[in-house]
Amino acid sequence: MKIFLDTADVSEIQKAYSTGLIDGVTTNPTLILRSGDTLYNVASRLLKECPNLISVSTEVVAETADEMIEQAKTYQPLGEAITIKVPCTIEGLKACKILSDQGVKVNVTLIFSVAQALLAAKAGATYVSPFIGRCNDNSFSGIELVRAIANAYSVQMCTTEILAASLRDVHHVSRCYTYGASTVTMPPSIFWKMYDHVLTREGLDQFQKDWESATLLG
Ligand code: E4P
């Protein structure tokens, strides 16, 4: 079970990374725009400042597979954790096949069907990213999509990992892991909600009070 953060905010990532529970990071052009920095700088800082990350997704934006591969070359030298993120288009899948054959980790993104996930696996993807929240926004179940992809991968013995993305709440996270995602990428706000429960807080308050009373008795 791996936890990735879906953000390009390096200080937020460092804060969560210091818990020892974060395995990777995913970014996309929107998140990079929000960070106010370049993708190259963000990825480069992450690889230096968070050395145990196993995957940092850097998304290429181009029309053709050749252009995607050219862009990928900019990020690959940063380190082994660099995972080239390509869209699920024919050109993206071509790029995925070529890069995967060269031993480069690839994340095929914007997955909304089992057929797309199967082609990505065929192209050698390390990860496929079904977008759970965006499925739900469009009136079909993202969690059911994860379950269906996991089922197809199991029947076909695909080694591509399901990286559930576009998460909206903690409940989504638990269900994605339950239904077959090996990895979930989430905004830091969701990560920080995962440990929290009102009954834990209430129980802790009571234990604290009783501990203080017991200490007074002793
Ligand atoms: C995943 O890799 C994407 O960056 C992300 O999860 C998209 O999420 P959104 O639908 O909240 O934009």
Side-chain angles (χ1 to χ4, degrees):
M1 188 189 92
K2 286 172 280 193
I3 298 178
F4 287 7
L5 289 179
D6 194 32
T7 178
D9 183 330
V10 177
S11 59
E12 281 286 348
I13 294 165
Q14 281 168 326
K15 199 161 42 142
Y17 177 80
S18 71
T19 63
L21 301 175
I22 304 301
D23 302 291
V25 171
T26 52
T27 64
N28 65 35
T30 309
L31 296 170
I32 291 296
L33 175 67
R34 215 173 280 161
S35 77
D37 205 344
T38 64
L39 174 54
Y40 184 88
N41 286 346
V42 169
S44 154
R45 280 187 64 192
L46 286 177
L47 266 68
K48 280 193 199 105
E49 296 170 32
C50 307
N52 292 330
L53 293 176
I54 60 161
S55 176
V56 174
S57 277
T58 54
E59 186 156 348
V60 291
V61 182
E63 291 282 313
T64 67
D66 285 347
E67 289 165 342
M68 290 180 200
I69 291 164
E70 219 29 59
Q71 278 184 29
K73 285 184 190 151
T74 316
Y75 310 116
Q76 282 165 242
L78 289 173
E80 279 197 12
I82 289 295
T83 303
I84 304 301
K85 200 173 179 190
V86 300
C88 190
T89 59
I90 280 298
E91 292 301 309
L93 291 169
K94 270 163 68 178
C96 176
K97 177 80 174 85
I98 292 165
L99 289 167
S100 307
D101 285 350
Q102 294 168 357
V104 177
K105 289 200 282 274
V106 181
N107 172 4
V108 179
T109 189
L110 288 163
I111 295 283
F112 294 95
S113 74
V114 177
Q116 289 180 312
L118 285 168
L119 277 188
K122 178 80 180 157
T126 309
Y127 301 103
V128 282
S129 292
F131 274 35
I132 312 313
R134 294 195 198 186
C135 288
N136 297 343
D137 294 345
N138 286 278
S139 304
F140 62 104
S141 166
I143 301 296
E144 279 309 313
L145 176 61
V146 168
R147 196 210 298 256
I149 294 172
N151 191 35
Y153 277 9
S154 156
V155 170
Q156 293 302 322
M157 292 186 283
C158 299
T159 53
T160 298
E161 295 186 44
I162 302 174
L163 195 181
S166 180
L167 275 286
R168 304 285 189 249
D169 54 43
V170 172
H171 183 58
H172 276 164
V173 175
S174 315
R175 295 189 74 199
C176 284
Y177 285 124
T178 304
Y179 289 123
S182 66
T183 309
V184 173
T185 189
M186 62 194 82
S189 57
I190 294 185
F191 171 70
W192 291 115
K193 280 184 191 150
M194 276 181 78
Y195 79 91
D196 190 36
H197 198 284
V198 61
L199 293 178
T200 306
R201 275 184 270 120
E202 283 177 13
L204 200 54
D205 278 351
Q206 189 60 51
F207 287 158
Q208 180 69 30
K209 282 181 196 136
D210 292 345
W211 174 257
E212 283 160 17
S213 305
T215 310
L216 283 178
L217 287 176

